[in-house]
Amino acid sequence: MCGPAVGLIAAVGSQVVGFMAQQQDFENKKAAWEQNYINSLASGREEQQAITNRAIEEQEASAQKMHLSLLEEGEKKAEAQVSAAEAGVAGISVQSIITDLGRKASYNRVTLDRNYKITAAQLTREMSATNTRTLNRINSVERPTPPNPLGLVFGVMGAGAQYAGQM
């Protein structure tokens, strides 16, 4: 009679210890998942901040290039007018040169603006991609599920049923 009771106690104890080990494993995996989640979000924020900084730098650079283009256009037009006046040239030929300088400068500014818009669109796509990368980092670690206590209950019931007939 004592043997089956000891076996029952050992079997129940084994079920409890196994469940506790599963619970501890779950807690460890949960802590690792939560840390990965925190790290993934932080990494995503850092990426987005870097992209935002680059977008600001690109905008400033574009504005500076536009300003320099306007200054350069004014200088070239003034040089052409001064040179023409010194040479005693006037009329349609001088005006054609001035118009051509304006057209070239305008084309240059259109190109600068187009290049800036292409860069801005690329940075917008990169910003969107950081969200995907962040989700991928989060999902790279499986979210743990807690052990089911029914497994413990059924294990104890099974052990009890096994030894019930021996008592």
Side-chain angles (χ1 to χ4, degrees):
M1 185 74 168
C2 186
V6 170
L8 175 63
I9 292 170
V12 169
S14 174
Q15 291 293 320
V16 171
V17 168
F19 181 78
M20 290 174 61
Q22 291 174 351
Q23 184 66 33
Q24 184 61 46
D25 185 53
F26 164 73
E27 293 298 330
N28 292 341
K29 287 179 179 177
K30 179 181 171 192
W33 185 88
E34 288 172 349
Q35 189 61 51
N36 177 66
Y37 181 82
I38 290 167
N39 293 347
S40 296
L41 292 178
S43 177
R45 281 191 304 273
E46 288 174 9
E47 282 183 49
Q48 289 183 340
Q49 185 61 48
I51 292 168
T52 299
N53 289 343
R54 183 163 171 232
I56 291 168
E57 291 168 357
E58 290 290 338
Q59 186 177 24
E60 289 294 321
S62 178
Q64 288 175 0
K65 288 175 185 176
M66 287 289 200
H67 181 73
L68 289 175
S69 176
L70 288 168
L71 291 176
E72 187 177 305
E73 177 186 5
E75 287 174 1
K76 286 182 178 180
K77 284 181 177 180
E79 284 176 17
Q81 288 173 336
V82 168
S83 294
E86 287 176 353
V89 178
I92 292 182
S93 60
V94 174
Q95 189 56 41
S96 292
I97 292 171
I98 300 296
T99 302
D100 189 48
L101 288 172
R103 191 173 19 255
K104 288 177 182 176
S106 177
Y107 178 77
N108 183 34
R109 285 191 296 276
V110 167
T111 301
L112 289 172
D113 185 57
R114 185 174 354 124
N115 289 343
Y116 169 71
K117 286 178 180 175
I118 290 169
T119 301
Q122 174 62 31
L123 292 174
T124 300
R125 286 189 297 277
E126 285 181 31
M127 187 69 81
S128 178
T130 62
N131 294 332
T132 302
R133 281 192 297 277
T134 298
L135 285 175
N136 287 342
R137 285 184 196 112
I138 290 169
N139 292 331
S140 70
V141 174
E142 183 180 347
R143 191 172 202 156
T145 55
N148 190 340
L150 287 177
L152 173 62
V153 171
F154 289 131
V156 169
M157 288 172 52
Q162 178 183 0
Y163 290 100
Q166 297 176 10
M167 292 188 182

